[in-house]
């Protein structure tokens, strides 16, 4: 686990490397690129044949080239790249060309070369982390841009008549041929000084990229023939940095049937998890009929992990009984496959197909209103948060009276780091979803079992020191040694595991809500997070005040009992996760209810594991009392 902790830190640092600049420095770098692009396009409006044709435009070119040299000089020590430093000479020459009223071709070429050199240094993020959503972009355009640019992006919005200069017409070939999504991103992110185009920094990166890609698609809507996938030699980076002219030239040289309109209107389809579930279920049934029982069972497991589980929480909010029926049938189906029980396989296959189709129908008709998303998000956030919160609060309530400052710090670092990784998981949720379902369940199962082991140790220690003379003696003789030992690091790792396993579950659930309905999700999710934060803070304050009034021995005893209950609950959840991943077999017990809150699942393995943990706790408790009586 120590290696996992260190690896997580390395991954965190690596993921942040590209964003090592401050927000202002990143903004300055984008401004530099944006100004160079502006110069390369608009210089022709200022000078023609060595003469100034528009004083305002020429003064703007003068100001922009001067701004570029200043920005680049300020960024040199921050970027700390020799190739970037050398661009100072090129920028000086560019400014001289403008002041000398050089030809449009020379100035435009020089500005474009400098801009591309900066982009090629990979010091600026030039493409989105995942393919943008044109549907999301259309919604954002309607809410943020249509009032000025018009519903169809022709620059004829209701507010356009009062604006000078007029809003851009996104159907204007002369303008749009030279605009790339990255440049559109920069304009949306930074705004344009001296115009009504303000900065939209309140939008997150994914939304800005979706808006930028949508803007580039507007003039191609008349020819939006869909394509299944992009050519393998067209990367997302290329699509982001190439303007329409550059992209069209590439397509012509590639001798492909894909057109510019095809690409600008392309949006990769996101597979419906339940479609995956049905596909894998069908494949398992076909393999079974061919006599390959083992592979059939593996595809049945994939049907559940990569399909049903991804929408389980959303479906559970409206039809929990259907979720339980599918889970129960899937377990029975997998067992029937391995036994070669054709009658049962045929029956369960048809039943599962019908139930999954029913689930698809329910989800497609589900009204993802603000209230539904808020309620569903709040329930999962509270459910997952309270379990880990209780464990963290108990540990802290024990450490504070003993004044173990290093240990307290380690616990705080552990849970904070877990939340940070959870937040990164939300940002890069597509990467998290691509982790196989079995791996996610294995991670959750192992995390639960490790937490149980630590809780058993902690509960034993607490119970044995619940008497006043015991803990007083302990403080005098041993407490100082713990602060200097590896136990401090262990507490930090434990706090990390307890919180991180819940964070992954929350991220996967919330992402499924977002993907299903982007219209309502943002504000509903934000309010759910705010509500959860307030409730968690209130619970923490009440818990802290209550435990302060209790004598230390009483705290130890109560904590020991609570930890014992949590250990039994986590045992059930850990075994269930490993069963869902296919690592532990399942022997169902009929007519017994499933109680998720208590980690109680109606199967022999899960109940037996909980019984064993409970027996261990009872034995340790009796043994401790016996030792204390002597």
């Amino acid at each position: 686990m120590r290696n996992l902790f260190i690896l997580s830190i390395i991954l965190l640092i690596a993921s942040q490397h590209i964003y090592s600049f401050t927000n202002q420095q990143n903004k300055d770098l984008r401004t530099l690129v944006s100004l160079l692009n502006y110069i390369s396009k608009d210089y022709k409006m200022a000078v023609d044949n060595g003469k100034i044709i528009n004083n305002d435009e020429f003064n703007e070119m003068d100001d922009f080239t001067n701004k570029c040299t200043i920005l680049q000089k300020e960024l040199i020590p921050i970027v700390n790249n020799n190739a970037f430093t050398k661009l100072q000479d090129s920028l000086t020459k560019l400014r001289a060309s403008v002041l000398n009223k050089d030809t449009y071709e020379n100035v435009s070429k020089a500005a474009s070369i400098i801009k591309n050199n900066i982009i090629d240094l990979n010091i600026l993020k030039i493409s989105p982390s995942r393919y943008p959503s044109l549907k999301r972009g259309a919604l954002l355009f309607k809410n943020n841009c249509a009032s000025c640019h018009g519903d169809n992006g022709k620059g004829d919005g209701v507010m356009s008549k009062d604006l000078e200069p007029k809003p851009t017409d996104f159907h204007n070939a002369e303008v749009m041929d030279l605009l790339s999504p990255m440049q559109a991103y920069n304009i949306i992110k930074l705004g344009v000084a001296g115009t009504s185009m303000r900065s939209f920094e309140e939008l997150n990166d994914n939304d800005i990229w979706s808006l930028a890609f949508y803007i580039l698609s507007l003039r191609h809507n008349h020819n939006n023939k869909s394509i299944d996938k992009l050519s393998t030699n067209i990367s997302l980076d290329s699509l982001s940095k190439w303007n329409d002219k550059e992209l069209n030239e590439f397509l012509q040289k590639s001798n492909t049937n894909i057109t510019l309109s095809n690409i600008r209107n392309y949006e990769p389809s996101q597979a419906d998890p339940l479609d995956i579930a049905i596909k894998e279920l069908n494949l398992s049934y076909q393999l079974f009929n061919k006599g390959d029982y083992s592979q059939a069972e593996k595809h049945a497991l994939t049907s559940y992990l990569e399909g049903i589980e991804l929408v389980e929480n959303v479906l559970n909010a409206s039809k929990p009984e259907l979720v339980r029926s599918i889970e129960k049938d899937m377990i029975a189906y997998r067992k029937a496959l391995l036994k070669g029980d054709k009658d049962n396989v045929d029956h369960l296959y048809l039943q599962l197909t019908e139930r999954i189709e029913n689930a698809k129908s329910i989800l497609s008709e589900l009204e993802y209103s603000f209230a539904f998303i808020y309620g569903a998000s709040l329930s999962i956030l509270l459910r997952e948060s309270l379990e880990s919160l209780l464990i963290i609060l108990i540990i802290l309530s024990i450490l504070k009276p003993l004044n173990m400052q290093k240990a307290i710090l380690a616990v705080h670092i552990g849970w904070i780091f877990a939340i940070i990784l959870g937040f990164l998981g939300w940002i890069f949720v597509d990467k998290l979803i691509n982790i196989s379902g079995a791996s996610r369940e294995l991670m959750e199962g192992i995390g639960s079992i490790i937490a149980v082991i630590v809780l058993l140790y902690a509960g034993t220690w607490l119970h044995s020191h619940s008497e006043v003379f015991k803990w007083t003696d302990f403080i005098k003789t041993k407490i100082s040694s713990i602060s200097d030992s590896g136990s401090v690091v262990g507490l930090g790792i434990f706090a990390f595991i307890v919180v991180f396993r819940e964070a992954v579950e929350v991220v996967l659930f919330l992402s499924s809500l977002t993907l299903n309905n982007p219209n309502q999700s943002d504000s509903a999710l934000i309010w759910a997070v705010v509500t959860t934060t307030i409730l968690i803070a209130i619970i923490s304050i009440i818990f802290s005040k209550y435990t302060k009034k209790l004598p230390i021995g009483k705290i130890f005893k109560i904590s020991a009992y609570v930890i014992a209950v949590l250990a039994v609950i986590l045992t059930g959840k850990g075994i269930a996760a490993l069963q869902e991943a296919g690592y532990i077999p399942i022997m169902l017990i009929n007519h017994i209810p499933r109680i998720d809150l208590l980690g109680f699942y109606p199967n022999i393995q899960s109940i037996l594991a909980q019984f064993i943990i409970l027996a261990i706790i009872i034995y340790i408790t009796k043994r401790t009392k016996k030792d204390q009586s002597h």
Side-chain angles (χ1 to χ4, degrees), residues 595-608:
I595 310 173
D596 288 294
L597 187 64
L598 300 178
F600 182 82
Y601 303 93
N603 67 80
I604 290 175
Q605 291 84 351
S606 178
I607 294 173
L608 181 61

Side-chain angles (χ1 to χ4, degrees), residues 396-515:
L396 289 175
S397 70
I398 296 162
L399 298 175
K400 284 179 181 177
L402 304 179
N403 199 29
M404 295 176 64
Q405 295 303 322
K406 289 183 180 179
I408 291 171
L409 179 62
V411 171
H412 283 308
I413 290 173
W415 71 260
I416 290 171
F417 184 58
I419 290 177
I420 290 172
L421 280 187
F423 178 72
L424 288 175
W426 173 253
I427 295 174
F428 302 107
V429 69
D430 51 332
K431 300 292 190 300
L432 186 62
I433 290 173
N434 286 334
I435 299 173
S436 72
S439 297
R440 292 195 298 269
E441 292 293 347
L442 179 62
M443 177 177 65
E444 185 174 341
I446 291 175
S448 296
I449 301 303
I450 291 173
V452 169
I453 294 169
V454 175
L455 287 173
L456 283 177
Y457 175 80
T460 304
W461 182 88
L462 287 168
H463 195 273
S464 65
H465 293 85
S466 59
E467 300 298 330
V468 174
F469 71 90
K470 287 283 185 182
W471 72 261
T472 304
D473 178 64
F474 181 80
I475 292 172
K476 290 179 180 178
T477 58
K478 297 181 179 179
I479 201 68
S480 59
S481 63
I482 291 182
S483 297
D484 299 324
S485 70
S487 299
V488 169
V489 177
L491 280 171
I493 294 174
F494 172 65
F496 170 80
I497 292 171
V498 166
V499 176
F500 184 66
R501 62 182 292 277
E502 309 295 351
V504 172
E505 187 79 15
V506 168
V507 167
L508 290 173
F509 171 68
L510 295 185
S511 66
S512 66
L513 281 179
T514 304
L515 292 174

Side-chain angles (χ1 to χ4, degrees), residues 102-376:
D102 202 349
T103 64
Y104 164 69
E105 290 74 16
N106 289 342
V107 170
S108 179
K109 183 179 179 181
S112 295
I113 288 172
I114 299 170
K115 178 195 74 174
N116 290 332
N117 284 339
I118 294 173
I119 291 171
D120 291 342
L121 291 175
N122 291 321
I123 55 176
L124 184 67
K125 186 171 171 60
I126 63 165
S127 63
S129 54
R130 61 174 181 260
Y131 207 97
S133 166
L134 295 182
K135 292 177 183 176
R136 177 69 173 165
L139 177 68
L140 291 163
F141 186 88
K142 179 182 178 181
N143 292 338
N144 296 281
C145 313
S147 58
C148 294
H149 292 278
D151 291 339
N152 297 313
K154 294 186 176 182
D156 56 355
V158 292
M159 295 178 63
S160 63
K161 60 184 179 180
D162 298 322
L163 301 177
E164 190 61 43
K166 295 297 181 185
T168 300
D169 175 3
F170 298 124
H171 294 259
N172 185 320
E174 187 178 5
V175 173
M176 299 306 293
D177 274 347
L178 302 177
L179 183 70
S180 70
M182 187 195 73
Q183 290 153 9
Y185 172 97
N186 285 340
I187 292 170
I188 298 166
K189 183 86 171 176
L190 304 171
V192 179
T195 74
S196 57
M197 179 61 200
R198 71 172 181 86
S199 162
F200 284 87
E201 284 190 299
E202 70 271 16
L203 298 179
N204 62 48
D205 265 12
N206 288 333
D207 280 352
I208 295 178
W209 278 115
S210 292
L211 193 49
F213 269 63
Y214 176 74
I215 286 168
L216 268 291
S217 76
L218 281 169
R219 69 180 181 132
H220 300 292
N221 281 344
H222 63 282
N223 182 20
N224 59 356
K225 180 185 174 183
S226 61
I227 53 175
D228 294 330
K229 61 180 180 179
L230 292 174
S231 174
T232 54
N233 60 349
I234 303 177
S235 68
L236 186 52
D237 273 2
S238 297
L239 288 181
S240 301
K241 70 180 181 181
W242 285 345
N243 58 40
D244 277 8
K245 183 179 178 182
E246 292 167 331
L247 181 54
N248 203 36
E249 288 173 355
F250 172 82
L251 292 173
Q252 289 172 357
K253 290 177 183 177
S254 301
N255 194 26
T256 177
N257 292 326
I258 298 176
T259 67
L260 178 62
S261 293
N262 291 154
I263 291 178
R264 289 306 185 203
N265 282 286
Y266 172 73
E267 182 168 7
S269 58
Q270 293 174 333
D272 186 326
L274 292 181
D275 284 339
I276 295 173
I278 290 173
K279 177 185 174 183
E280 292 293 328
L281 182 66
N282 290 338
L283 188 54
S284 77
Y285 187 64
Q286 292 167 14
L287 288 167
F288 172 80
N289 287 324
K290 290 178 181 179
D292 194 343
Y293 300 163
S294 176
Q295 284 299 316
E297 193 272 341
K298 287 180 180 178
H299 282 281
L301 181 60
T302 302
S303 172
Y304 176 76
L305 291 175
E306 306 300 339
I308 295 162
E309 196 196 22
L310 293 179
V311 296
E312 185 178 34
N313 281 313
V314 178
L315 189 60
N316 204 35
S318 55
K319 289 287 181 181
E321 68 281 359
L322 180 59
V323 174
R324 299 293 164 261
S325 297
I326 291 174
E327 284 182 348
K328 187 176 179 180
D329 286 351
M330 188 61 78
I331 292 169
Y333 177 67
R334 285 167 52 199
K335 290 177 69 175
L337 288 171
L338 290 174
K339 289 179 179 179
D341 185 350
K342 182 164 176 55
D343 289 342
N344 257 333
V345 166
D346 290 344
H347 168 71
L348 289 165
Y349 166 72
L350 292 174
Q351 190 161 282
L352 276 168
T353 302
E354 182 181 347
R355 283 179 170 159
I356 295 172
E357 289 291 354
N358 186 21
K360 277 188 68 177
S361 177
I362 290 169
L363 289 180
S364 66
E365 295 172 3
L366 193 62
E367 183 183 349
Y368 285 85
S369 63
F370 177 94
F372 173 80
I373 296 175
Y374 173 79

Side-chain angles (χ1 to χ4, degrees), residues 12-130:
L12 177 64
I13 294 170
S15 68
Q16 295 301 299
H17 178 71
I18 193 167
Y19 305 107
S20 57
F21 304 135
T22 65
N23 287 337
Q24 184 58 49
Q25 291 159 354
N26 189 55
K27 183 177 179 180
D28 288 346
L29 196 56
R30 288 196 177 278
T31 299
L32 175 57
V33 170
S34 190
L35 287 174
L36 287 165
N37 179 67
Y38 195 87
I39 293 165
S40 70
K41 291 191 303 179
D42 281 24
Y43 179 74
K44 61 185 174 184
M45 298 171 64
V47 175
D48 186 32
N49 291 324
K51 293 182 180 179
I52 298 173
I53 56 174
N54 186 314
N55 278 315
D56 290 338
E57 290 289 345
F58 182 78
N59 290 335
E60 190 174 59
M61 293 296 110
D62 177 20
D63 179 49
F64 284 176
T65 50
N66 183 49
K67 179 81 170 175
C68 284
T69 57
I70 293 171
L71 283 173
Q72 191 266 350
K73 186 175 181 180
E74 291 174 347
L75 287 166
I76 284 174
I78 298 156
V79 174
N80 194 24
N81 183 295
N82 192 46
F84 183 81
T85 303
K86 289 180 178 178
L87 292 178
Q88 195 166 23
D89 292 337
S90 299
L91 284 166
T92 301
K93 290 177 182 177
L94 174 64
R95 177 157 172 72
S97 292
V98 169
L99 294 177
N100 291 332
K101 307 175 192 64
D102 202 349
T103 64
Y104 164 69
E105 290 74 16
N106 289 342
V107 170
S108 179
K109 183 179 179 181
S112 295
I113 288 172
I114 299 170
K115 178 195 74 174
N116 290 332
N117 284 339
I118 294 173
I119 291 171
D120 291 342
L121 291 175
N122 291 321
I123 55 176
L124 184 67
K125 186 171 171 60
I126 63 165
S127 63
S129 54
R130 61 174 181 260

Side-chain angles (χ1 to χ4, degrees), residues 523-538:
S523 57
L525 289 180
I526 290 170
W527 279 108
V529 170
V530 169
T531 306
T532 303
T533 303
I534 292 171
L535 291 174
I536 291 297
I538 292 171

